[in-house]
């Protein structure tokens, strides 16, 4: 999603803004721009495509000025060209925006009626036009004009504005999309997240819903939706410590796949008492013995992690689980039960649909927990309980280590739920905890298949379509495998419950179609292998992912196989995830796609 940076600095800020925007590249974008105030004069440079194009525009015509704003745009309204790139300006004000303004069409008509002329197709441009309208027609100052403009906007957004003639003023607003203030020494910063601010300061204050900040180099004031002056806590952000480099890998995604043994171990350390082989949850966590029901919701990969955990909560805790995609859940009239709990899963903690579903469940009396990677995020701050995942910053758009850390956290929580509800005894808890503690080692072992998987991926790269199948906990992993492949290699892929094949998808099978069969040797192994033989009998190319015994038991005729370590079958998704991630990664690198920033995708989806 769009990235925002604003700086009231002590030297020329354009180069600093471009550096900050580089740290926001992971969010996904298709154009970028910078505006500065120099001796009271507003000027800007914008360019479609990657930041290199903006840098070239700045090299050709540098921008001076100690006050500036910058933006990476992920197009929603209007093509990703220079005219639609932010900042959007009038001669009086320049504005950057993240989010969507729902009533922009009617505001645009109104402003055109006053004679104002628009130069882009974006929804964002109504904001500088409205501010200018109030500056000129009502003779108010910049802050009041900004406040009046924001009050007219409907939707979910964050804005930052700078003004002609105002070298020591930057104003920002948050409604639906995050915005953070960074305090420096005689400098002030605004940014979409703490990673953007990390090169400049670790003293970060998050705006709350409806807040407006008025910043100068000396300090800032925050006003809530009713215009009352408020104070918000300052936090010391850990983002500054985050190493945002590729550590010798070609892509962030490769680095993040290989970090998994370590980050899974970190996540385990938040939940497991290794000496006693038990799970310990924070004191304020759910009392699972009293929960009437559990709702789980998320988007994309985080949703698939939730779907796998449904099997765990049902199997170990005998707890009824309602699970849905957040964009659906938020608009369903769910008959929530009294004493119900809800878990929302999110790497970024800023996904708009997940946040909206959380708020709806909260309003309907559910106790809210978040499995979240960014502790300062909106979802973390609005939840009653935080279940941390210690994945560290995930920069690649395709989620990898966050997925396995989400699974790790959810597995530990589900084991604790089983103990609290008396549906597993302490021996079973110890057995499961021992199995969980083995996962970092098993994931490291799974990574050793990288070379073999790369060779298979070179063939997958020639396919037009790919099917993934699995049963039980391997069914959501099949969905995740298909998502991973399609998002970074652009090959069409579908995941199916293996038992569902003969209800339609089997019609697709021919000698061109690779079918990836995820089958750890569990209670459903034989059934999945039967489905695989149905594929092979129709000339399909079966690629089996199983352990050595599973591959041997599957018999002859496989097109290919990937050997996974032997693991506790119900926890297999945490380890088998490595194979599907590497398969997608090498397929994409073979095709030469932009692995870390695939087309059309954003890392953090802060619009609906
Ligand atoms: O930050 P979140 O975990 O809430 O993000 C949810 C999805 O947008 C995310 O998992 C997306 O599906 C990834 N690109 C998948 O790799």
């Amino acid at each position: 999603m769009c990235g925002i940076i604003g700086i009231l600095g002590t030297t020329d800020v354009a180069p600093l803004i471009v550096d900050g925007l580089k740290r926001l590249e992971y969010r996904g974008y298709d154009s970028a721009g910078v505006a500065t105030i120099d001796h009271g004069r507003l000027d800007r440079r914008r360019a479609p495509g990657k930041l290199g194009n903006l840098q070239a525009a700045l090299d050709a015509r540098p921008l001076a000025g100690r006050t500036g704003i910058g933006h990476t745009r992920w197009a929603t309204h209007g093509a990703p060209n220079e005219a639609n790139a932010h900042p959007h300006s009038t001669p009086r004000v320049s504005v950057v925006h993240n989010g969507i303004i729902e009533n922009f069409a009617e505001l645009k008509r109104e402003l055109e009626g006053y004679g104002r002329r628009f130069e882009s197709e974006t929804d964002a441009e109504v904001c500088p036009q409205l501010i200018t309208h109030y500056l000129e027609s009502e003779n108010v100052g910049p802050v009041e004009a900004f406040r009046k403009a924001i009050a007219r906007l409907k939707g979910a957004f964050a804005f930052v504005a700078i003004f002609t003639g105002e070298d020591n003023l930057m104003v920002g607003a948050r409604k639906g999309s995050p915005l953070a203030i960074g305090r420096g020494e005689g400098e002030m910063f605004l940014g979409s997240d703490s990673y953007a601010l990390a090169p400049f300061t670790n003293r970060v204050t998050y705006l709350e819903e409806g807040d407006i900040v008025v910043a100068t180099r000396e300090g800032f004031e925050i006003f809530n939706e009713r215009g009352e002056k408020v104070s918000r806590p300052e936090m010391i952000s850990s983002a500054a410590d985050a190493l945002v480099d590729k550590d010798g890998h070609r892509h962030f995604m490769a680095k993040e796949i290989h970090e998994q043994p370590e980050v899974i171990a970190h996540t385990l350390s938040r939940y497991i008492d290794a000496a006693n082989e038990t799970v310990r949850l924070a004191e304020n966590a759910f009392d699972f013995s009293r929960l009437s029901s559990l709702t789980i919701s998320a988007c994309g990969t985080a949703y698939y992690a939730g779907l796998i955990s449904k099997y765990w909560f049902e199997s170990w805790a005998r707890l009824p689980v309602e699970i849905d995609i957040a964009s659906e859940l938020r608009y369903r009239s769910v008959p929530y039960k009294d004493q119900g709990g809800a878990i929302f899963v999110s790497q970024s903690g800023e996904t708009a649909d997940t946040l909206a579903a959380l708020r709806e469940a909260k309003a309907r009396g559910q106790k809210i927990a978040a499995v979240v990677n960014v502790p300062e995020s909106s979802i973390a701050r609005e939840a009653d309980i935080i279940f941390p995942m210690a994945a560290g910053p995930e920069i690649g758009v395709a989620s990898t280590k966050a997925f396995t850390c989400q699974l790790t956290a959810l597995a530990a929580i589900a084991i604790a739920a089983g103990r609290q509800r008396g549906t597993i005894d302490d021996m079973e808890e110890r057995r499961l905890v021992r199995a969980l503690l083995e996962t970092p080692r098993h994931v490291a072992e799974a990574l050793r298949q990288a070379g073999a998987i790369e060779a298979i991926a070179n063939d997958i790269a020639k396919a037009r379509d790919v099917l993934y199948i699995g049963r039980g906990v391997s069914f959501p992993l099949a969905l995740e495998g298909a998502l991973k492949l399609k998002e970074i290699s652009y090959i069409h892929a579908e995941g199916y419950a293996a038992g569902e094949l003969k209800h339609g998808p089997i019609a697709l099978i021919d000698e061109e179609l690779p079918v990836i069969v995820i089958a750890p040797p569990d209670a459903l192994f034989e059934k999945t292998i039967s489905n695989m033989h149905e594929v092979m009998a129709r000339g399909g190319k079966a690629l089996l992912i199983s352990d050595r015994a599973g591959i041997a038991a599957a018999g002859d005729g496989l097109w290919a196989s990937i050997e996974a370590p032997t693991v506790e079958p119900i926890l297999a998704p945490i380890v088998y995830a490595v194979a599907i991630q590497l398969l997608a990664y090498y397929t994409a690198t073979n095709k030469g796609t932009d692995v870390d920033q695939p087309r059309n995708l954003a890392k953090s989806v802060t619009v609906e």
Side-chain angles (χ1 to χ4, degrees):
M1 290 287 104
C2 306
I4 289 179
I5 296 196
I7 304 182
L8 291 167
T10 50
T11 56
D12 283 344
V13 290
L16 303 177
I17 289 173
V18 174
D19 275 354
L21 290 177
K22 281 185 189 147
R23 292 180 64 102
L24 291 175
E25 278 193 295
Y26 76 95
R27 295 164 72 97
Y29 70 105
D30 35 43
S31 61
V34 177
T36 58
I37 307 279
D38 184 31
H39 294 93
R41 256 193 73 245
L42 189 58
D43 200 358
R44 66 179 168 173
R45 303 287 177 267
R46 301 177 296 167
K50 295 293 177 191
L51 281 173
N53 299 345
L54 175 64
Q55 187 60 62
L58 284 163
D59 290 344
R61 290 172 60 221
L63 273 183
R66 299 182 307 136
T67 299
I69 50 178
H71 190 263
T72 46
R73 172 176 186 249
W74 187 79
T76 56
H77 297 76
N81 54 28
E82 183 175 339
N84 290 329
H86 300 216
H88 288 289
S89 301
T90 71
R92 305 288 300 269
V93 60
S94 191
V95 169
V96 287
H97 159 234
N98 176 17
I100 288 180
I101 302 169
E102 288 165 4
N103 59 339
F104 84 98
E106 76 190 61
L107 290 171
K108 188 170 178 177
R109 272 195 302 278
E110 177 187 323
L111 288 160
E112 283 173 337
Y114 297 134
R116 301 219 60 84
R117 295 173 76 101
F118 284 70
E119 49 183 41
S120 79
E121 305 159 280
T122 64
D123 54 341
E125 198 188 345
V126 297
C127 186
Q129 294 282 0
L130 260 179
I131 294 171
T132 307
H133 168 70
Y134 288 122
L135 283 170
E136 292 178 354
S137 66
E138 301 198 5
N139 202 22
V140 292
V143 175
E144 183 58 9
F146 182 87
R147 199 193 56 71
K148 285 174 94 78
I150 295 295
R152 298 285 312 277
L153 306 179
K154 293 198 180 116
F157 48 76
F159 278 102
V160 177
I162 53 176
F163 302 85
T164 297
E166 301 282 350
D167 186 45
N168 192 16
L169 177 68
M170 185 162 65
V171 187
R174 175 204 169 129
K175 189 179 162 203
S177 295
L179 191 66
I181 309 161
R183 184 192 288 275
E185 292 300 324
E187 297 179 302
M188 210 56 75
F189 307 90
L190 293 180
S192 314
D193 63 29
S194 50
Y195 296 139
L197 302 177
F200 313 116
T201 179
N202 64 355
R203 296 173 64 188
V204 174
T205 302
Y206 282 88
L207 293 187
E208 294 190 2
E209 284 303 290
D211 283 354
I212 286 180
V213 58
V214 179
T216 64
R217 286 181 182 78
E218 294 70 42
F220 59 83
E221 291 183 326
I222 301 176
F223 301 89
N224 67 14
E225 213 151 12
R226 293 181 297 283
E228 297 155 349
K229 201 164 149 189
V230 286
S231 73
R232 306 291 183 211
E234 183 175 279
M235 309 177 182
I236 301 301
S237 161
S238 53
D241 307 334
L243 276 179
V244 187
D245 67 33
K246 296 186 190 133
D247 202 15
H249 291 275
R250 252 178 89 193
H251 299 99
F252 282 111
M253 183 180 177
K255 176 192 174 208
E256 288 158 6
I257 290 173
H258 284 85
E259 277 174 351
Q260 290 179 108
E262 189 184 341
V263 293
I264 291 171
H266 289 162
T267 303
L268 283 170
S269 71
R270 305 285 186 97
Y271 295 92
I272 302 292
D273 175 346
N276 294 308
E277 297 177 334
T278 55
V279 179
R280 46 174 161 67
L281 298 184
E283 296 222 327
N284 73 337
F286 291 128
D287 178 351
F288 282 99
S289 65
R290 287 164 185 261
L291 276 195
S292 58
S293 63
L294 183 63
T295 302
I296 301 177
S297 190
C299 298
T301 289
Y303 169 71
Y304 296 141
L307 199 50
I308 289 169
S309 78
K310 172 186 164 83
Y311 291 80
W312 294 335
F313 281 106
E314 290 182 346
S315 163
W316 299 330
R318 313 301 301 149
L319 184 60
V321 174
E322 162 70 39
I323 175 153
D324 204 350
I325 297 160
S327 56
E328 289 297 313
L329 188 79
R330 63 183 288 190
Y331 293 117
R332 273 176 48 198
S333 40
V334 181
Y336 284 113
K337 292 188 180 163
D338 290 346
Q339 304 288 329
I343 299 182
F344 295 88
V345 187
S346 177
Q347 187 285 126
S348 62
E350 299 295 351
T351 302
D353 284 318
T354 309
L355 184 57
L358 178 157
R359 288 177 178 156
E360 174 65 17
K362 196 171 196 176
R364 306 276 301 282
Q366 303 300 287
K367 187 159 181 184
I368 306 294
V371 175
V372 72
N373 196 32
V374 181
E376 305 101 343
S377 61
S378 305
I379 287 175
R381 283 180 291 128
E382 294 196 26
D384 303 311
I385 305 158
I386 299 176
F387 290 125
M389 36 188 285
E394 190 180 65
I395 305 296
V397 162
S399 188
T400 53
K401 62 175 181 169
F403 177 64
T404 48
C405 288
Q406 283 158 355
L407 288 176
T408 303
L410 286 162
I413 299 162
I415 294 169
R419 279 300 282 138
Q420 287 179 18
R421 293 169 69 82
T423 45
I424 56 173
D425 60 18
D426 58 347
M427 266 183 51
E428 180 63 354
E429 178 182 20
R430 285 207 299 275
R431 191 185 74 78
L432 290 170
V433 165
R434 275 198 297 275
L436 256 186
L437 287 169
E438 288 287 312
T439 51
R441 184 173 67 79
H442 287 143
V443 166
E445 198 179 325
L447 284 165
R448 291 202 275 278
Q449 294 293 321
I453 294 174
E454 183 171 8
I456 297 170
N458 292 340
D459 279 324
I460 299 277
K462 297 178 197 127
R464 204 190 58 183
D465 309 282
V466 176
L467 274 188
Y468 288 73
I469 60 170
R471 285 174 181 260
V473 287
S474 299
F475 161 49
L477 191 64
L479 297 173
E480 168 63 3
L483 173 63
K484 217 80 305 168
L485 187 73
K486 71 182 118 183
E487 72 178 329
I488 59 168
S489 75
Y490 314 148
I491 293 174
H492 170 242
E494 298 291 341
Y496 273 97
E500 193 64 13
L501 257 195
K502 58 175 83 63
H503 298 286
I506 202 162
L508 296 171
I509 304 295
D510 63 17
E511 52 291 340
E512 302 295 318
L513 183 80
V515 180
I516 297 171
V517 184
I518 304 172
D522 57 14
L524 300 171
F525 177 77
E526 302 290 347
K527 293 189 187 299
T528 310
I529 296 302
S530 294
N531 298 131
M532 184 180 82
H533 283 296
E534 288 159 12
V535 167
M536 287 155 63
R538 287 159 183 81
K541 297 159 72 170
L543 188 174
L544 176 63
I545 307 178
S546 189
D547 69 4
R548 182 170 299 176
I551 292 168
D556 297 332
L558 292 174
W559 171 62
S561 61
I562 298 173
E563 188 182 317
T566 299
V567 297
E568 166 64 31
I570 196 166
L571 293 172
I574 306 177
V575 177
Y576 280 47
V578 173
I580 58 135
Q581 293 165 353
L582 288 172
L583 200 59
Y585 174 73
Y586 286 121
T587 304
T589 51
N590 180 287
K591 293 194 74 183
T593 53
D594 188 344
V595 170
D596 284 332
Q597 290 165 39
R599 69 183 178 207
N600 305 336
L601 287 180
K603 180 66 182 163
S604 174
V605 184
T606 52
V607 294
E608 187 175 353

